Amino acid sequence: MASMTTLSKRVLCRISCQRKALCRAFSTESIQDKDVVIVGGGPVGLALASALGSNPLVRESIKVALIDAGDLSKIRDWSLPADTFSNRVSSITNTSRSFLEDIGAWAYVDGSRTSAIREMQVWDGISDARIIFDAAELPSAASAAGSSEMARLTENLNLQRAFLRHLENSQGVQLLQKVKVESIRPDVEGNGWPLVHLSDGTTIRARLLVGADGFNSPVRSYAGISSYGWSYDTQAVVATLNHAPRGAFEKPNHTAYQRFLPTGPIAFLPLSPTVSSLVWATRPRHAAALCKSDPAVLASMINAAYRLPDVSIRYLHDRILEADAAGQSLSHEALSDEISFRERSHAISKYSAYATTTSALSGGIPPSDAESIPPLVTSIQADTIASFPLRYSHAEAYLGEGAGSRTVLVGDAAHTMHPLAGQGLNLGLGDIECLARCIAQTLRHGGDIGSYTALRPYASERYFENHKVMASVDKLHRLYASTLEPIVWARSVGLEVLNELDTVKAALMMEAGGRSTGSGWEWNLLARGVEGLATGLSAARMLRERIGSASFLR
């Protein structure tokens, strides 16, 4: 009886082993092995695929796959009329553009749908202190190929389409579209590489898994990388704006305007002679009310936001919010009447460009202050009004370790920031340039591209570089959100002094345009200046509290 029991156990054990072997064989057949798997088909993910596909060594040595839940073929075939633009745009610095030219992707960008930014005007919404950056003032030695532009504005879809068309001519990059990442697990029975399970039943084993999958990154979750940050009490309202062309006696529409209102900055970005893009950061309730309003109301509010003093803009905000709370919308006629009344109250001359209700739209000699503010918005292109929340977020690490090893984060999966400086996508493209370089160097030396050692230079180079920019922008946002008189005075004096320091302005323009010397001292200078103003902010607040306390004691 004992021998029979022992025999039964042996038979069952043999059957079990055979089943496991069959399962492993079946599993092996259904798993695709890739060297680099990129999750996310946005501009950053596609840029990495293009960069890897353009390098002959990488193309011949490894297999690359990009996964995206969307229909990338629609983006590849995307097309709009010449005078119609989408509402998501990015400012591409000269360094980012040089990188895209080096990998061959910029040749596929539709140049007619891009616009040079040759000047930037930034001013305080309360004091009107202003700083003007002009690319013509850059040292000739810093100008790339004699270019006199700080950056180039284009639609994100124009970039994505260019990457996809570039990839059509690249071998070794497989695009997996219209499939979602269901789960990511380590291959515990194999070498521990990430196993990416897709919604169509496909499983991919990755030597290196790249998270280019945005703020809510599944790759970051799998890697066990936490992030720190906060949501701003602001929403960004975006839209595509129509306006009259600049006159014969004015500069072309190559100036970006940004006014810092207490509720958030409003940016006017040139796309063509008669079209510009809006990014208006404001309070969530106000953003929601603006998006629900008649487009003509939003157009009038944009015009007023660049022309009226802060006290009147706040009053107009309240009127819109009151109407929205009552379940109504403020009419365009009522808003126009209110704006006209306020222009008269503030003694704005009807011959000034700051007047919205006069003949500023007609031809002839423009007012002397015409180039101090954007052209008047005449209408908003259909279906372009939208809003989204703003946040600050930075992953605590860019590389996964332990059970989440062989993972790396790029773009919004690693960092998100306030759009007031227009550097978000440029930081992501900087990530891509560095990561693609690390992969190529590792292959050149016969190393393992998914190892921590191979990826460590990427994390070391990019983390601090990104943090410098993000911290500076966050501090600028907080500084300009204050309405305390000492703070307004301090930042206004600082801005006006900076406007007179041509050398410092040139350095900041070089960095904003991507023409860095490589040492990063320009952003350090900006960060220190902001730190000093932040210290002044704290001191002013403390002084104000003490003065208030002394007054109370009297």
Side-chain angles (χ1 to χ4, degrees):
M1 187 70 178
S3 61
M4 288 292 293
T5 304
T6 303
L7 180 63
S8 299
K9 287 182 178 179
R10 287 177 180 174
V11 171
L12 290 173
C13 182
R14 187 175 298 173
I15 293 172
S16 177
C17 290
Q18 290 174 344
R19 284 180 177 175
K20 288 181 178 178
L22 286 171
C23 288
R24 279 198 297 270
F26 178 78
S27 176
T28 302
E29 290 176 359
S30 63
I31 293 177
Q32 299 180 21
D33 285 324
K34 298 291 181 181
D35 296 291
V36 178
V37 175
I38 305 165
V39 180
V44 172
L46 288 171
L48 179 58
S50 288
L52 296 178
S54 67
N55 187 309
L57 173 64
V58 175
R59 190 169 58 242
E60 294 169 5
S61 303
I62 62 175
K63 296 178 181 180
V64 180
L66 183 143
I67 302 167
D68 191 77
D71 188 350
L72 297 178
S73 62
K74 290 183 178 179
I75 298 176
R76 186 192 61 227
D77 300 330
W78 168 79
S79 179
L80 286 177
D83 59 348
T84 304
F85 291 81
S86 59
N87 60 4
R88 297 302 297 269
V89 301
S90 293
S91 172
I92 305 300
T93 64
N94 295 310
T95 293
S96 294
R97 179 177 171 181
S98 294
F99 166 61
L100 297 181
E101 288 173 344
D102 290 343
I103 66 174
W106 189 259
Y108 294 86
V109 173
D110 184 351
S112 67
R113 302 190 69 84
T114 71
S115 177
I117 297 178
R118 297 198 169 96
E119 184 177 296
M120 288 177 59
Q121 295 197 33
V122 182
W123 69 101
D124 193 306
I126 296 178
S127 69
D128 284 337
R130 183 180 298 247
I131 187 169
I132 299 174
F133 298 100
D134 191 340
E137 297 175 359
L138 281 169
S140 57
S143 298
S147 171
S148 61
E149 61 186 59
M150 299 171 60
R152 186 157 283 266
L153 200 74
T154 187
E155 299 151 287
N156 289 358
L157 286 170
N158 192 14
L159 279 178
Q160 289 176 268
R161 181 179 63 180
F163 290 134
L164 288 167
R165 291 181 176 179
H166 178 239
L167 285 169
E168 287 180 344
N169 300 318
S170 298
Q171 301 296 323
V173 178
Q174 181 184 11
L175 296 181
L176 301 173
Q177 56 181 322
K178 295 185 283 187
V179 289
K180 296 181 180 180
V181 174
E182 294 287 347
S183 64
I184 308 173
R185 296 186 179 89
D187 184 6
V188 292
E189 294 186 357
N191 46 22
W193 292 7
L195 289 175
V196 184
H197 301 274
L198 305 181
S199 57
D200 64 354
T202 304
T203 299
I204 301 177
R205 180 163 44 212
R207 181 187 297 270
L208 173 61
L209 180 62
V210 182
D213 45 354
F215 174 72
N216 296 310
S217 168
V219 174
R220 189 178 67 234
S221 298
Y222 162 75
I225 300 174
S226 58
S227 62
Y228 67 93
W230 46 83
S231 295
Y232 294 111
D233 186 26
T234 47
Q235 294 255 135
V237 177
V238 296
T240 304
L241 315 174
N242 294 320
H243 52 79
R246 290 293 196 181
F249 299 97
E250 299 174 87
K251 295 179 182 178
N253 188 37
H254 291 306
T255 300
Y257 295 91
Q258 186 163 357
R259 186 184 187 190
F260 279 90
L261 300 169
T263 52
I266 178 171
F268 194 101
L269 309 170
L271 280 170
S272 80
T274 58
V275 179
S276 294
S277 182
L278 169 78
V279 183
W280 188 352
T282 187
R283 298 287 181 261
R285 282 186 59 217
H286 185 226
L290 286 175
C291 290
K292 288 190 290 184
S293 298
D294 184 336
V297 168
L298 176 57
S300 294
M301 283 297 296
I302 295 167
N303 291 330
Y306 283 105
R307 289 164 174 80
L308 290 178
D310 175 61
V311 62
S312 287
I313 296 173
R314 281 189 280 114
Y315 177 80
L316 295 177
H317 285 182
D318 291 341
R319 288 287 308 274
I320 288 179
L321 289 175
E322 288 170 3
D324 183 65
Q328 302 173 350
S329 295
L330 187 65
S331 70
H332 181 240
E333 293 75 13
L335 179 62
S336 298
D337 290 342
E338 187 62 48
I339 291 174
S340 297
F341 168 74
R342 295 198 161 264
E343 287 177 358
R344 295 192 299 271
S345 300
H346 294 299
I348 296 176
S349 170
K350 65 179 181 179
Y351 301 108
S352 168
Y354 285 81
T356 62
T357 55
T358 57
S359 58
L361 290 174
S362 62
I365 299 176
S368 59
D369 53 3
E371 294 181 359
S372 299
I373 49 178
L376 280 168
V377 178
T378 55
S379 63
I380 296 178
Q381 294 190 2
D383 301 322
T384 63
I385 302 172
S387 71
F388 54 90
L390 301 181
R391 57 175 63 93
Y392 177 104
S393 177
H394 204 181
E396 291 188 349
Y398 289 177
L399 307 180
E401 297 184 63
S405 62
R406 296 188 173 274
T407 54
V408 60
L409 305 179
V410 295
D412 284 354
H415 45 76
T416 54
M417 59 184 286
H418 199 289
L420 69 87
Q423 293 297 310
L425 179 56
N426 291 299
L427 293 187
L429 293 176
D431 294 346
I432 297 311
E433 186 278 330
C434 182
L435 180 58
R437 178 165 25 95
C438 286
I439 291 173
Q441 288 176 349
T442 302
L443 291 173
R444 197 172 294 116
H445 293 93
D448 179 359
I449 61 172
S451 68
Y452 189 88
T453 303
L455 298 171
R456 187 173 181 178
Y458 161 74
S460 299
E461 178 179 329
R462 292 306 303 168
Y463 198 95
F464 181 60
E465 189 66 27
N466 291 336
H467 179 73
K468 284 191 300 180
V469 178
M470 294 170 66
S472 297
V473 170
D474 179 64
K475 288 168 185 172
L476 284 173
H477 164 73
R478 294 179 185 278
L479 182 66
Y480 277 92
S482 175
T483 57
L484 290 176
E485 288 186 15
I487 310 308
V488 174
W489 175 84
R491 74 192 184 206
S492 300
V493 171
L495 200 63
E496 290 178 338
V497 169
L498 182 60
N499 194 44
E500 300 301 321
L501 300 177
D502 294 339
T503 304
V504 178
K505 282 205 304 180
L508 291 175
M509 279 191 286
M510 288 168 63
E511 181 68 17
R515 300 170 185 165
S516 176
T517 59
S519 63
W521 69 269
E522 300 92 342
W523 271 111
N524 280 329
L525 176 66
L526 177 60
R528 285 177 189 152
V530 175
E531 287 279 12
L533 287 173
T535 303
L537 185 152
S538 299
R541 184 180 293 125
M542 186 181 300
L543 178 63
R544 182 172 180 271
E545 289 173 355
R546 289 183 179 178
I547 291 173
S549 177
S551 300
F552 175 77
L553 290 174
R554 290 195 190 99

